[in-house]
Amino acid sequence: MKRFWPGWLLCALTAVLFLYMAAFQAPGISSQIDGMKLPDVVVLGYDLEGARALHAAFKAQQAAADADGEMSAAATYLSMHQGSDLLFPPMLAASLAFLGFAGLRASSAGVGGRIGFRMVCALALVYMGFDYLENAVADTMFGPAALESDLNTELVPVLRGLTIGKYLAIAIAFIAIAAIWIGHLKRGGDRFTPL
């Protein structure tokens, strides 16, 4: 297990970045828009009514921020997507793949374990694609430039679908990882096997 410390370090760094975003960045932006949650954290996504309310909150806050000469919540949200949330998806995808691989260390991992690992890798890539597309669509709907006009209602179901897809991919990946690890622990294996 010692030779796999870079993978465990990546998982730890990914967790730290997630905690930073979840405990500081997202709540900081939400506090500026009347406590409304960002689309990234609403598991089932915003419906049309919720998206309109969020757009109005961003728009009102931007007007107040412009009057005070401050950075708006929409600009902060955009910068989060261009900073920490640009790094997070590939880090989480790589962490998921590593956790799946680490579960295959038993010499009797079997065909099921190998299939599970490949499924985790595929889901990690699917998640990353959904997350990046979700960020792009959210910026198109709630970024500073988007607030100069009405909400693009055609993008509401698109954003909702991407958000649901993102969380679904993560959930299934974690279930597959858990199954791989449970299979390993039942066998009591100590060694990694080539894939």
Side-chain angles (χ1 to χ4, degrees):
M1 286 294 287
K2 289 182 180 178
R3 59 186 170 156
F4 293 97
W5 67 264
W8 296 115
L9 178 61
L10 173 64
C11 291
L13 291 174
T14 302
V16 169
L17 181 58
F18 172 77
L19 289 173
Y20 168 69
M21 292 168 62
F24 297 102
Q25 282 191 305
I29 298 169
S30 292
S31 68
Q32 295 180 288
I33 51 173
D34 302 325
M36 293 197 72
K37 293 181 179 179
L38 299 179
D40 313 59
V41 298
V42 179
V43 177
L44 296 178
Y46 275 111
D47 59 11
L48 183 57
E49 183 180 341
R52 279 190 173 130
L54 182 63
H55 187 271
F58 268 120
K59 195 168 189 173
Q61 195 281 332
Q62 179 162 283
D66 288 345
D68 295 338
E70 297 176 353
M71 187 173 181
S72 69
T76 305
Y77 186 43
L78 182 64
S79 68
M80 183 179 83
H81 285 163
Q82 295 171 344
S84 57
D85 210 11
L86 191 64
L87 295 173
F88 183 73
M91 289 176 68
L92 180 56
S95 295
L96 291 171
F98 170 75
L99 289 171
F101 174 73
L104 289 177
R105 70 180 192 259
S107 59
S108 55
V111 175
R114 291 200 231 355
I115 291 173
F117 170 67
R118 287 177 176 85
M119 188 169 78
V120 169
C121 290
L123 287 166
L125 291 174
V126 168
Y127 148 72
M128 188 168 63
F130 274 130
D131 203 343
Y132 277 138
L133 287 171
E134 177 195 42
N135 291 348
V137 173
D139 292 341
T140 301
M141 294 172 66
F142 305 111
L147 300 180
E148 296 175 7
S149 57
D150 293 335
L151 174 70
N152 185 339
T153 56
E154 293 180 358
L155 289 178
V156 173
V158 175
L159 181 61
R160 189 174 196 180
L162 290 169
T163 302
I164 293 171
K166 174 185 78 172
Y167 282 109
L168 192 59
I170 292 172
I172 297 171
F174 273 117
I175 291 169
I177 289 167
I180 292 169
W181 275 93
I182 289 169
H184 160 68
L185 295 174
K186 282 184 178 178
R187 295 181 197 96
D190 298 328
R191 295 176 295 128
F192 282 89
T193 55
L195 298 177

